[in-house]
């Protein structure tokens, strides 16, 4: 994609200043969000989220593993994002590495909490099978198929939907194994435990263009940004993660203002996502 | 193991010469010049075409025809066991080459000298026959992009098992 001409840039900036963006939206309005769950049958859970021209897929795979000796009562989760070259020619070969890493790290920060697993949006202790010996390892993979801005919000929504769709097989542990022996496991094909996603936060990215902030920026609008703040907020209105991008400095009062705007927007987004996810699950059941 | 039962049915209930269910959709990637999704049974791939556009690497520019480039990548979750390396491994490089050579032969490259056509194929679900699904998807994506071709290129795989030829 080539850059914008001067006229196009002024059009984007002027529209945002007047609360009327290029596609007719107001500054704090999201594009229509479409959620489909169960799109990857061989994964334990999956979802596809479309926000305008942005199309992302998230899949959750669960494998049996050993818990880390430092946290023997917690399972492990890893998040990895890949940008497909179908989204932009620049993602060919290793071109997507920087963006993929940035997105993966931002998502880990927002959803997984600190190194010890404390403060995670996902309850890691629910992944334990036998304390100290057997746990579930969750691999969350995101794939960006088409990009029209606001990748982080879309990926956050997709991961939340994929986790709602995830079924962890029920494991029956054979009689007590002694010492270091791995206990015998019987992994059920029939019974599944649904994941509890009520604590999983949503991510709201506020992009500052000129003197105003917008939500759900398109690619053109992102190219005009001075800085952007991504806030992950859970249902209780508590901030779970914070990332600032862009080289322009922000006054602390502006940052606090952006956070409160994000908090206000996140309430509507959470409700909307929850209803879209339940609708998608209902469609899948049919 | 019996791959074809005595009644002549395969594991998924097909006859030996029967193909899997085909499904396709065009125009799925908004930003691409042309794109398509192609499904053959449980194998699902997306192809996106960008071009004809200006050549990015001047040294590769061809003065009498268009430069056709292709990249094949598989998603982490596409196979039953999670893959570690989505692209850059030898199989992906080989399949990229095969798709590029196939499409290059059918695109009328002489009509677009000094330009570049990029074909990107992404495998979402792999259940055998990804190569064929990619070529079919690439044909649809090129048609969606309005790039002149000699004809459609279609592809299907076949094998020979226990003295029985099997399709797809």
């Amino acid at each position: 994609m080539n850059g914008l001409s001067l006229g196009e840039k002024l059009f984007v900036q002027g529209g945002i200043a007047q609360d009327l963006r290029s596609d007719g939206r107001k500054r704090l309005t999201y594009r229509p969000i479409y959620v489909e769950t169960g799109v990857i049958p061989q994964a334990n859970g999956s979802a596809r989220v479309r926000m305008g021209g942005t199309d992302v897929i998230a899949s959750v795979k669960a494998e049996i593993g050993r818990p880390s000796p430092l946290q023997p009562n917690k399972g492990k989760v890893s998040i990895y994002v890949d940008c497909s070259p179908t989204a932009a020619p620049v993602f060919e070969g290793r071109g997507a590495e920087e963006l993929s890493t940035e997105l993966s790290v931002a998502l880990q920060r927002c959803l997984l909490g600190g190194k010890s697993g404390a403060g995670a949006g996902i309850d890691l202790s629910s992944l334990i099978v036998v304390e100290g010996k057997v746990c579930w390892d969750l691999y969350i993979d995101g794939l960006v198929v088409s990009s029209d801005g606001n990748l982080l919000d879309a990926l956050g929504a997709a991961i939340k939907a994929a986790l709602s769709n995830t079924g962890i097989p029920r494991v029956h542990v054979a009689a007590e194994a002694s010492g270091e022996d791995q206990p015998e496991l019987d992994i059920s094909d029939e019974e599944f435990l649904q994941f509890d996603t009520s604590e999983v936060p949503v991510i709201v990215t506020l992009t500052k263009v000129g003197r105003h902030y917008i939500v759900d920026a398109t690619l053109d609008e992102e190219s005009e940004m001075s800085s952007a703040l991504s806030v992950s907020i859970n249902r209780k209105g508590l901030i779970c993660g914070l990332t600032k991008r862009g080289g322009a400095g922000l006054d602390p009062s502006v940052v606090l203002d952006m956070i409160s705007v994000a908090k206000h927007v996140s309430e509507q987004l959470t409700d909307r996502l929850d209803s879209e996810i339940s609708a998608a699950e209902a469609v899948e059941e049919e | 193991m019996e791959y074809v039962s005595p009644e002549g049915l395969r594991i998924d209930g097909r006859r030996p010469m029967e193909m899997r269910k085909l499904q396709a959709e065009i125009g799925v990637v908004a930003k691409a010049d042309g794109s398509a999704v192609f499904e053959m049974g449980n194998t699902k791939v997306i192809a996106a075409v960008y071009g004809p556009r200006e050549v990015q690497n001047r040294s590769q520019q061809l003065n009498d025809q268009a430069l056709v480039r292709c990249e094949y990548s598989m998603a982490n979750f596409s196979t039953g066991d999670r893959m570690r390396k989505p692209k850059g491994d030898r199989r992906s490089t080989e399949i990229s080459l095969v798709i590029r050579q196939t499409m290059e032969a059918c695109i009328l490259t002489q009509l677009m000298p000094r330009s570049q056509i990029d074909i990107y194929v992404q495998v979402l679900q792999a259940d055998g026959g990804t190569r064929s699904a990619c070529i079919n998807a690439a044909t649809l994506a090129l048609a969606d992009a309005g790039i002149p071709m000699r004809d459609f290129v279609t592809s299907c795989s076949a094998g020979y098992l226990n003295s029985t030829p099997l399709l797809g």
Side-chain angles (χ1 to χ4, degrees):
Chain A
M1 284 302 296
N2 294 324
L4 299 177
S5 69
L6 184 58
E8 283 171 312
K9 287 183 191 176
L10 292 173
F11 191 74
V12 166
Q13 289 164 2
I16 290 170
Q18 293 175 40
D19 204 14
L20 183 65
R21 293 152 74 174
S22 311
D23 50 8
R25 284 184 287 155
K26 291 191 148 325
R27 284 194 284 262
L28 298 181
T29 312
Y30 266 88
R31 285 172 285 190
I33 304 176
Y34 296 105
V35 178
E36 266 175 77
T37 53
V39 289
I40 309 286
Q42 66 262 33
N44 292 79
S46 59
R48 179 183 174 199
V49 167
R50 266 174 294 160
M51 282 182 184
T54 297
D55 194 345
V56 304
I57 296 179
S59 95
V60 178
K61 271 217 160 132
E63 281 172 22
I64 291 280
R66 280 193 84 105
S68 150
L70 299 168
Q71 280 102 44
N73 62 340
K74 291 194 156 82
K76 306 198 292 280
V77 178
S78 76
I79 302 183
Y80 173 73
V81 174
D82 185 30
C83 296
S84 169
T86 55
V90 70
F91 293 156
E92 193 181 341
R94 300 190 60 180
E97 227 173 282
E98 202 181 303
L99 182 61
S100 304
T101 319
E102 189 190 329
L103 289 168
S104 306
V105 169
L107 285 165
Q108 277 165 0
R109 193 175 297 135
C110 288
L111 297 172
L112 294 183
K115 277 217 175 94
S116 65
I122 306 165
D123 181 19
L124 294 176
S125 39
S126 66
L127 295 173
I128 266 291
V129 178
V130 175
E131 193 164 318
K133 290 185 190 157
V134 182
C135 72
W136 284 107
D137 287 341
L138 283 190
Y139 293 101
I140 304 180
D141 291 308
L143 180 71
V144 176
V145 171
S146 170
S147 165
D148 193 15
N150 207 23
L151 291 175
L152 203 53
D153 293 15
L155 282 163
I159 291 178
K160 190 173 160 85
L163 285 170
S164 317
N165 184 239
T166 301
I168 310 276
R170 202 180 286 272
V171 184
H172 297 286
V173 187
E176 280 300 305
S178 56
E180 284 302 307
D181 296 347
Q182 285 287 94
E184 274 188 40
L185 303 168
D186 175 34
I187 300 174
S188 165
D189 281 334
E190 305 290 318
E191 298 158 33
F192 290 92
L193 295 163
Q194 286 301 118
F195 220 69
D196 176 25
T197 55
S198 51
E199 295 294 312
V200 178
V202 290
I203 305 179
V204 175
T205 302
L206 281 174
T207 310
K208 188 161 192 282
V209 177
R211 290 176 46 219
H212 303 274
Y213 339 120
I214 52 172
V215 124
D216 196 14
T218 61
L219 215 53
D220 294 341
E221 290 167 338
E222 274 181 0
S223 68
E224 292 308 302
M225 78 170 191
S226 55
S227 50
L229 191 71
S230 298
V231 188
S232 86
I233 303 182
N234 69 11
R235 189 173 296 232
K236 299 192 188 112
L238 303 173
I239 298 175
C240 303
L242 202 61
T243 312
K244 180 211 172 277
R245 295 195 314 277
L250 285 177
D251 191 82
S253 61
V254 173
V255 174
L256 289 172
D257 190 38
M258 284 170 99
I259 291 175
S260 69
V261 170
K263 196 173 153 191
H264 168 71
V265 170
S266 75
E267 285 159 28
Q268 300 157 20
L269 180 63
T270 313
D271 290 333
R272 200 149 143 220
L273 266 181
D274 284 337
S275 66
E276 287 290 327
I277 292 173
S278 356
E281 300 255 287
V283 166
E284 197 200 336
E285 249 148 63
E286 280 165 27
Chain B
M1 188 191 155
E2 276 262 341
Y3 288 100
V4 183
S5 74
E7 296 89 43
L9 292 177
R10 292 154 75 175
I11 298 173
D12 53 359
R14 285 188 286 155
R15 300 246 158 240
M17 284 294 146
E18 199 181 321
M19 285 188 67
R20 290 175 283 181
K21 182 174 167 209
L22 301 175
Q23 247 177 291
E25 198 185 325
I26 291 189
V28 285
V29 177
K31 291 272 160 178
D33 292 315
S35 58
V37 172
F38 199 84
E39 285 177 67
M40 288 167 97
N42 284 332
T43 298
K44 186 170 178 182
V45 312
I46 289 189
V49 167
Y50 289 87
R53 58 194 190 120
E54 201 176 321
V55 179
Q56 306 292 296
N57 190 352
R58 263 304 162 80
S59 59
Q60 290 177 338
Q61 185 173 289
L62 299 165
N63 286 324
D64 58 342
Q65 58 177 21
L67 177 70
V68 177
R69 292 165 74 246
C70 175
E71 185 176 284
Y72 166 97
S73 48
M74 299 183 77
N76 263 339
F77 43 77
S78 55
T79 53
D81 303 316
R82 193 172 164 268
M83 277 185 70
R84 304 294 137 157
K85 211 176 170 213
K87 47 187 158 180
D89 59 308
R90 289 170 65 149
R91 180 173 171 272
S92 302
T93 315
E94 193 230 332
I95 299 183
S96 304
L97 186 67
V98 164
I99 301 175
R100 179 176 72 76
Q101 288 173 339
T102 308
M103 306 325 292
E104 198 169 9
C106 88
I107 297 174
L108 295 167
T109 48
Q110 295 85 341
L111 297 180
M112 299 160 286
R114 289 180 287 279
S115 71
Q116 174 177 313
I117 298 173
D118 291 313
I119 306 171
Y120 299 116
V121 192
Q122 175 79 45
V123 177
L124 298 176
Q125 282 168 239
D127 190 26
T130 52
R131 204 175 299 223
S132 306
C134 289
I135 292 175
N136 293 329
T139 303
L140 288 173
L142 285 166
D144 186 38
I147 290 177
M149 297 190 282
R150 289 189 175 80
D151 198 350
F152 291 121
V153 178
T154 54
S155 166
C156 185
S157 54
Y160 200 68
L161 186 61
N162 293 337
S163 317
T164 322
L166 298 176
L167 192 67

